[in-house]
Amino acid sequence: MSVEDNKRIVREFCNHFKTSNADGLIDGMTEDATWWVNGKPHLFPSAGTKTKTEAANMFRNMFTAYSNGLDMKVINLIGEGDSIAAEARSQATTKSGKIYENEYFILFKIRDGKIASVREYTDLMHVQETFG
């Protein structure tokens, strides 16, 4: 696939956050996909490497916290080969009324038209502050 095809796949994947479409996210991943988030797992439950199944559980749990999805805006995409680097910003309102806004750098690896791995760098202190 071309770099432009891979960028399209990443954009479409990120759009599933806005509609809380966990199934769309899961379907967009390879069977052996991994999702890594920066941080120390003993300090932040979302940190570390997750399997596709663990990521699916993370998505479903996350979406229950928002009143109307997580608006994930892709600001910039840079690609080379099967790698797409994304700068993104999110905004959501939690069901308890808190505003969640975060910034991300995410490195996606694409294989056969699907997300094979994700390396997500974000502000986990803000996650902790918002969700406890």
Side-chain angles (χ1 to χ4, degrees), residues 58-74:
M58 182 176 65
F59 300 144
R60 288 189 174 100
N61 288 336
M62 177 180 65
F63 291 144
T64 65
Y66 302 126
S67 59
N68 195 25
L70 177 70
D71 188 10
M72 181 72 74
K73 291 191 186 319
V74 174

Side-chain angles (χ1 to χ4, degrees), residues 47-108:
T49 302
K50 309 284 189 258
T51 64
K52 180 179 179 175
T53 300
E54 291 167 329
N57 291 334
M58 182 176 65
F59 300 144
R60 288 189 174 100
N61 288 336
M62 177 180 65
F63 291 144
T64 65
Y66 302 126
S67 59
N68 195 25
L70 177 70
D71 188 10
M72 181 72 74
K73 291 191 186 319
V74 174
I75 307 302
N76 194 14
L77 292 176
I78 299 171
E80 183 174 333
D82 65 354
S83 297
I84 301 297
E87 176 187 11
R89 289 189 187 107
S90 68
Q91 193 283 328
T93 302
T94 67
K95 288 183 179 172
S96 66
K98 290 183 179 179
I99 301 299
Y100 176 70
E101 295 177 322
N102 216 333
E103 297 192 22
Y104 310 83
F105 173 82
I106 309 168
L107 180 61
F108 294 90

Side-chain angles (χ1 to χ4, degrees), residues 8-58:
R8 179 186 47 75
I9 289 165
V10 167
R11 280 189 196 95
E12 290 172 0
F13 186 80
C14 289
N15 285 338
H16 291 302
F17 286 98
K18 176 62 176 164
T19 58
S20 299
N21 185 356
D23 290 337
L25 291 167
I26 296 159
D27 292 345
M29 300 170 73
T30 63
E31 289 306 310
D32 63 343
T34 57
W35 193 292
W36 176 89
V37 178
N38 65 300
K40 305 296 182 201
H42 69 282
L43 298 174
F44 303 100
S46 62
T49 302
K50 309 284 189 258
T51 64
K52 180 179 179 175
T53 300
E54 291 167 329
N57 291 334
M58 182 176 65

